[in-house]
Amino acid sequence: DNKEETAILNLIEWLVKSGASLSQKCGNTTYCWTMWTEDGEEISVDYKGHSLLSYIEAWKLLFFDHKEKIQTWTAELEFLDSVMDRIARASSERQVRPRASVDEGILEIWEKFLHATASHDLDIEAADGCVTAHAQMLMEASPVVQAMLVSPMKERQTKQIKIKDTSSCAVTLFLEVLYTCSSQGDPDYKTALSALDLAHRWQVEVVVEILADFIEGLITEETFATIAEHASLKGLDRLQKACQSFGLGNAAIQEQLGKGDFPKIV
């Protein structure tokens, strides 16, 4: 049906322009797409482990493996070519946050600055321990922290900020991103979301955006609902669209949505 195909192509183009990840792989699922040849032979490709691009390529290879029936797949191959054309066009027009390349030597200096604990003059009391940082760094980045440290509040006197609802791992991740634009470890999605909460609360927009980009790569069937809820509550458009894109391509999530298993905001 040409109208249905056009609607699908338009949706794909919109998702890519909106920031949908082309490399995000489908999580642990047993679902697959199945087709049948004219003589009743069943062929299928599992969703698991595939990104959008690799899934398209897998189907093309499967069609050509059955090249003796190539006439059967002419329409399907033409549609896949149309999908790739739309992806290419949308990718060239998508909105990308401005970024600058930085020499590796500069990054090393930033990391040394982060770890120069002898010069740290601010204690951040997290739920499970203390993390230190440079007060001026936090004040320049966060209007919230600046207000706490320059006004006659307790934090100014003690040079100590208490955030008992945030783990030290999440605070550390927040600081790593603030100082170096990267993470020095491999944080799980809960730590990343907690660091995102802190960045959002302290109004450090650049860290919010960097963490949101990172969390996009952590979307799986298991993490989908929690990440989508955070993205929605914080109004993070790019992360919301990444969740929408993942959800649209995941049969298990579509089934759960149909049953109303997720919070309404998702």
Side-chain angles (χ1 to χ4, degrees):
D1 183 283
N2 287 336
K3 289 181 72 174
E4 184 179 357
E5 285 189 5
T6 300
I8 292 171
L9 292 170
N10 288 340
L11 176 60
I12 291 170
E13 184 173 352
W14 175 80
L15 287 169
V16 174
K17 282 183 180 179
S18 300
S21 172
L22 300 178
S23 58
Q24 172 75 49
K25 293 182 179 179
C26 187
N28 187 22
T29 179
T30 57
Y31 288 90
C32 65
W33 184 262
T34 301
M35 299 182 70
W36 287 266
T37 64
E38 289 181 347
D39 57 7
E41 180 185 356
E42 180 181 302
I43 60 172
S44 64
V45 177
D46 292 336
Y47 294 136
K48 183 179 179 181
H50 278 296
S51 66
L52 170 60
L53 297 180
S54 71
Y55 196 70
I56 292 171
E57 185 62 24
W59 267 110
K60 282 190 169 185
L61 289 172
L62 189 57
F63 287 146
F64 283 112
D65 282 345
H66 292 73
K67 55 181 177 290
E68 70 279 1
K69 304 184 178 83
I70 197 67
Q71 291 299 325
T72 305
W73 312 119
T74 301
E76 286 80 4
L77 285 166
E78 287 177 354
F79 177 70
L80 291 178
D81 287 339
S82 296
V83 170
M84 294 301 292
D85 287 342
R86 289 293 190 104
I87 290 172
R89 184 170 74 186
S91 296
S92 67
E93 299 175 9
R94 70 191 294 175
Q95 297 294 317
V96 179
R97 188 162 48 83
R99 299 183 183 184
S101 59
V102 179
D103 190 278
E104 187 174 344
I106 298 296
L107 287 175
E108 290 176 0
I109 293 172
W110 291 349
E111 288 180 11
K112 289 177 181 177
F113 189 53
L114 168 65
H115 296 300
T117 55
S119 62
H120 289 180
D121 55 355
L122 177 66
D123 292 338
I124 303 172
E125 288 288 343
D128 56 348
C130 181
V131 181
T132 61
H134 296 94
Q136 191 62 42
M137 185 74 165
L138 270 293
M139 289 170 65
E140 293 295 338
S142 167
V144 176
V145 173
Q146 185 176 53
M148 287 191 285
L149 296 181
V150 301
S151 62
M153 298 173 69
K154 183 171 67 175
E155 287 84 358
R156 180 185 180 185
Q157 308 301 321
T158 63
K159 284 294 181 75
Q160 183 182 78
I161 299 175
K162 294 184 178 182
I163 43 172
K164 292 300 185 181
D165 59 346
T166 305
S167 71
S168 59
C169 289
V171 175
T172 297
L173 175 58
F174 166 81
L175 292 173
E176 286 175 354
V177 173
L178 177 62
Y179 278 75
T180 70
C181 296
S182 63
S183 167
Q184 297 179 334
D186 188 21
D188 60 28
Y189 81 99
K190 290 181 180 178
T191 300
L193 286 173
S194 185
L196 178 68
D197 281 338
L198 182 60
H200 188 265
R201 188 189 321 164
W202 282 356
Q203 298 176 24
V204 187
E205 294 304 320
V206 65
V207 174
V208 169
E209 292 182 2
I210 292 170
L211 284 170
D213 286 348
F214 172 72
I215 290 167
E216 181 179 331
L218 301 179
I219 302 171
T220 65
E221 280 183 26
E222 292 73 24
T223 66
F224 171 80
T226 305
I227 292 175
E229 185 174 13
H230 277 258
S232 224
L233 288 170
K234 293 175 177 64
L236 302 174
D237 289 342
R238 286 178 61 84
L239 188 55
Q240 280 183 276
K241 288 166 184 172
C243 290
Q244 290 168 357
S245 175
F246 183 85
L248 283 170
N250 187 287
I253 288 173
Q254 287 298 305
E255 183 178 347
Q256 288 177 278
L257 285 168
K259 293 178 180 178
D261 291 344
F262 295 133
K264 286 186 179 180
I265 196 166
V266 173

